[in-house]
Amino acid sequence: MTLLDAAREVRERAYAPYSKFKVGAAVRGVSGRIYAGCNVENVAYPEGTCAEAGAIALMVASGETELVEVAVMADSPTPVPPCGGCRQKLAEFGRADTPVLLATVRGAELATTIGELLPGRFDISHLSGTE
């Protein structure tokens, strides 16, 4: 199974009764294992979970803390990038040159990287010298 196949498959299980906007995401850990997540909405909108966050949580819960590839799929006219919070989450566990494939269910794709999605990212280097 490819990373994009995993994102496509998990997208079908998204819980999106309010927006009807299902998103699937998959990340590949440094081990090569694929971790997938889908968006999970809540009637109190800010309390939902993004697909990317779910995939990362599964990766960490499985014992990995480094991702080497990302795929995100949604039913949209154009590929949908991760929200700002998820861009920071991806940056926490991936490098700036980590490939990210954004795709639609109709086959449109956009290849990018974590660094292109989040230039000037906040990282551990910003914490040095703090007391």
Side-chain angles (χ1 to χ4, degrees), residues 3 25-29 31 33-37 55-56 58-59 62-64:
L3 205 60
V27 300
R28 185 181 311 278
S31 70
R33 186 168 170 204
I34 294 174
Y35 304 94
I56 290 168
L58 179 57
M59 178 186 76
S62 298
E64 290 201 62

Side-chain angles (χ1 to χ4, degrees), residues 14-82:
Y15 179 75
Y18 309 107
S19 71
K20 310 289 189 237
F21 191 73
K22 294 182 175 186
V23 180
V27 300
R28 185 181 311 278
V30 72
S31 70
R33 186 168 170 204
I34 294 174
Y35 304 94
C38 58
N39 58 318
V40 178
E41 293 181 349
N42 187 294
V43 70
Y45 277 102
E47 299 305 316
T49 303
C50 296
E52 299 88 344
I56 290 168
L58 179 57
M59 178 186 76
V60 172
S62 298
E64 290 201 62
T65 57
E66 183 180 351
L67 58 87
V68 297
E69 189 179 6
V70 179
V72 180
M73 177 172 282
D75 186 4
S76 178
T78 59
V80 176

Side-chain angles (χ1 to χ4, degrees), residues 87-106:
R87 291 177 196 211
Q88 185 65 45
K89 288 174 180 73
L90 291 169
E92 179 73 18
F93 298 99
R95 297 175 8 166
D97 63 350
T98 298
V100 178
L101 181 60
L102 308 174
T104 70
V105 296
R106 292 176 192 83

Side-chain angles (χ1 to χ4, degrees), residues 103-126:
T104 70
V105 296
R106 292 176 192 83
E109 295 181 1
L110 175 65
T112 188
T113 65
I114 290 175
E116 290 170 339
L117 288 171
L118 190 62
R121 74 191 211 180
F122 181 80
D123 62 28
I124 191 72
S125 70
H126 295 102

